[in-house]
Amino acid sequence: MIRVDSIAALTEQLQHWKDKRFTLGLVPTMGFFHEGHLALMRKAKSQCDKTVVTIFVNPRQFGPQEDLQLYPRDFEGDVAKARQQGVDLLFSPDPQEMYPDGYQTSVSVAHLSQGLCGTSRPGHFDGVATVVAKLFNLVRPKVAVFGQKDYQQLALLQQMNSDLHFGVEIIAHPIVREEDGLAMSSRNKYLTPLQRQKAVGLFEALQHAAGCISETASVPASILITAVERKIMDIEDCVIDYIAVVDALTLRPKENAEPGDVIALAAFFGGKVRLIDNITL
Ligand code: PAF
């Protein structure tokens, strides 16, 4: 596996592969790999000649009160895991390489960045769209793989890809879950053993709500939201950020939930660890 941390070295290596007409698959990440990340890498590998993984804890997507400094990192462990998956190139720039002095440009996806996680994380999705646009331009991949756990991020990046004519084939990878159903996340590491045990309640609440809707009928969204709310309010040490039933493409809140809609939620454990999850009805 080739490791580069400068844009110049990345561009030089990619040029060799492009000269040979190799197709590139991109998996942008912030590192601290778990099985969810590795599944994205395997997917990219199955679709392209060469797989490029990026590790960059993007400061622009963290708010002033958020956990940028505390974001978990294990670079050497990540290198070993990526190598094991047969990743061809690992790009791990530092913030100065991505945002040199005088950097000014930001990408903003107007509507899809609002609501849901956008409400409690203002500016977050501008940071995500900006860094992914830069990575798309640097790598020019044929495909890029993103996980469905970050549902709003995925929808917004699909919109950006279409609006800005990147022409990347974006692959949505299903949520990878722990054995008990908790969605895998780098932030799970911050849960105490008891919180970790209880955190599966988020997925159970979503499953419960999904079970309230039949394949044909529509149900008032408020009924599903209340059902999820009740379950989560029973989880010790857990505070709801939001629960919403939204259209799968536009992410607009639905009055009546139908099969194909998405229930998305975010909740805090111990006041600090913010977990997200979603389920398609
Ligand atoms: O999902 C993530 O890990 C990040 O938001 C991403 C897409 C790598 C952009 O920094």
Side-chain angles (χ1 to χ4, degrees), residues 104-121:
Q104 300 191 23
T105 304
S106 173
V107 178
S108 184
V109 182
H111 298 304
L112 286 168
S113 62
Q114 305 302 308
L116 306 176
C117 292
T119 305
S120 53
R121 305 191 70 189

Side-chain angles (χ1 to χ4, degrees), residues 50-67:
K50 297 287 178 191
T51 304
V52 178
V53 170
T54 66
I55 298 181
F56 180 58
V57 183
N58 174 30
R60 291 192 167 231
Q61 67 187 77
F62 288 81
Q65 311 304 326
E66 292 184 347
D67 52 355

Side-chain angles (χ1 to χ4, degrees), residues 28-30 56 58 61 128 131-132 146 150 153 157:
T29 81
M30 299 207 296
F56 180 58
N58 174 30
Q61 67 187 77
V128 171
V131 78
V132 173
F146 296 92
D150 297 287
Q153 166 172 287
L157 292 176

Side-chain angles (χ1 to χ4, degrees), residues 33 74-82:
F33 295 156
D74 174 19
F75 187 67
E76 288 313 318
D78 287 347
V79 169
K81 286 177 186 161

Side-chain angles (χ1 to χ4, degrees), residues 87-102:
V87 167
D88 298 286
L89 188 149
L90 184 69
F91 175 51
S92 52
D94 65 20
Q96 184 65 20
E97 186 70 4
M98 291 299 274
Y99 305 115
D101 295 343

